[in-house]
């Protein structure tokens, strides 16, 4: 899908604008919309907090109205406070951010995530006009997040819709193939024989190793290293 646009309604702090721009670049989004923003220039906190987003996301923002957002996008309003049931429908039903990716996956229209003001978020009238409502689960005693934090958490949860790859290795691609892993289990069984591990415990010990490596998803290099240790240990066991 096309990455969602991100809109901030009446932000008061330039630093939060920069933080949001940076999070957008971190997680593959680039279309920043600002509704009635404060003035900020290259020497402001907005650019200071934006990191590398100061070169593209931030300077290319669009200043729009709230009406423009609801008229041109499938809108998701972000809020800390929700209603407990459907008697007050403006903030109910709602989704949590970890559910939002599944909700947006099949939306054909352009989407915009709408964040509210630092002090009181989006108004009830604004919430009534958005298409979906989303909230971040937090402590019942203190559920309000800083605007920049709330945006960063939300954009992180949507990364599977916006990023083809990250800086982290692909575990499925890097994982040793099954033949290598099975070879290790055979080798480990011979190792237990070589060190005269109690015969009645060998099958259980191999099964334990299988469960352990099954959770670890070892790479081919890791398997080869472990087998090298086993070979050396078996060599010294034979010398004895």
């Amino acid at each position: 899908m096309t990455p969602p646009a991100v809109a901030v309604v009446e932000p008061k702090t330039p630093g939060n604008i920069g933080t949001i721009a940076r999070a957008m670049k971190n997680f593959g989004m680039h279309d920043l919309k600002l509704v009635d923003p404060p003035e900020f220039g290259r020497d402001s906190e907005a650019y200071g907090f934006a990191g590398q987003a100061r070169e593209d996301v931030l300077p290319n923002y669009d200043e729009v109205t709230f009406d423009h957002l609801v008229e041109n996008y499938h809108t998701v309003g972000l809020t800390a406070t929700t209603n407990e049931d459907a008697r007050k429908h403006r903030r109910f039903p709602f989704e949590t951010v970890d559910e939002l990716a599944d909700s947006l996956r099949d939306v054909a229209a352009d989407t915009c995530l709408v964040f509210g003001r630092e002090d009181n978020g989006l108004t009830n009238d604004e919430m009534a006009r958005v298409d979906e409502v989303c909230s971040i689960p937090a402590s019942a005693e203190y559920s309000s997040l800083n605007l920049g934090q709330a945006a960063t958490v939300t954009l992180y949860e949507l990364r599977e819709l916006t990023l083809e790859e990250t800086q982290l290795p692909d575990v499925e691609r890097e994982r040793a193939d099954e033949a290598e892993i099975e070879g290790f289990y055979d080798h480990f069984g011979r190792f237990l024989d070589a060190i005269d591990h109690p015969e009645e415990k060998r099958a259980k010990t191999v099964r334990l190793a299988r469960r352990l490596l099954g959770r670890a998803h070892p790479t081919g290099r890791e398997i080869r290293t472990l087998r090298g240790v086993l070979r050396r240990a078996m060599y010294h066991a034979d010398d004895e």
Side-chain angles (χ1 to χ4, degrees), residues 6 8-24 32 34 38 40 44-50 58 115-119 145-152 155:
V6 177
V8 190
V9 177
E10 297 182 2
K12 292 180 172 57
T13 307
N16 275 329
I17 297 173
T19 298
I20 292 171
R22 178 172 186 156
M24 290 174 64
L32 176 61
L34 300 178
F40 61 90
S44 69
E45 284 188 340
Y47 279 84
F49 290 3
L58 185 55
F115 295 89
R117 304 154 186 86
E118 287 94 336
D119 50 0
L145 276 72
N146 170 277
L147 174 59
Q149 293 173 328
T152 300
L155 303 188

Side-chain angles (χ1 to χ4, degrees), residues 191 194-195 232-240:
F191 167 75
I195 64 172
R232 193 163 185 82
M234 291 172 69
Y235 172 79
H236 287 288
D238 289 340
D239 283 348
E240 295 178 359

Side-chain angles (χ1 to χ4, degrees), residues 17-85:
I17 297 173
T19 298
I20 292 171
R22 178 172 186 156
M24 290 174 64
K25 191 170 181 74
N26 285 145
F27 301 116
M29 303 176 205
H30 53 80
D31 191 2
L32 176 61
K33 312 290 188 186
L34 300 178
V35 177
D36 193 18
E39 292 186 7
F40 61 90
R42 284 273 176 179
D43 59 347
S44 69
E45 284 188 340
Y47 279 84
F49 290 3
Q52 293 186 16
R54 70 170 67 90
E55 305 301 331
D56 44 25
V57 177
L58 185 55
N60 292 323
Y61 80 88
D62 296 317
E63 186 168 350
V64 300
T65 64
F66 190 85
D67 288 341
H68 173 85
L69 298 177
V70 297
E71 290 168 3
N72 291 277
Y73 291 91
H74 175 85
T75 49
V76 181
L78 279 296
T79 181
T81 305
T82 62
N83 294 323
E84 295 180 357
D85 55 44

Side-chain angles (χ1 to χ4, degrees), residues 175-194 197 201-220 222-228 230-231 234:
R175 187 178 188 271
D177 63 44
E178 292 307 313
E180 288 181 298
I181 295 175
E182 287 299 320
F184 170 80
Y185 297 140
D186 290 340
H187 199 159
F188 185 64
R190 297 196 303 274
F191 167 75
L192 295 179
D193 293 340
H197 191 69
K201 295 183 178 180
R202 291 176 193 175
K204 183 177 181 180
T205 303
V206 171
R207 188 164 61 249
L208 183 150
R210 184 179 291 273
R211 298 288 183 269
L212 182 64
L213 285 187
R215 294 195 301 270
H217 300 296
T219 65
E222 289 169 337
I223 287 293
R224 290 189 293 273
T225 299
L226 289 175
R227 293 194 68 174
L230 292 182
R231 280 193 296 272
M234 291 172 69

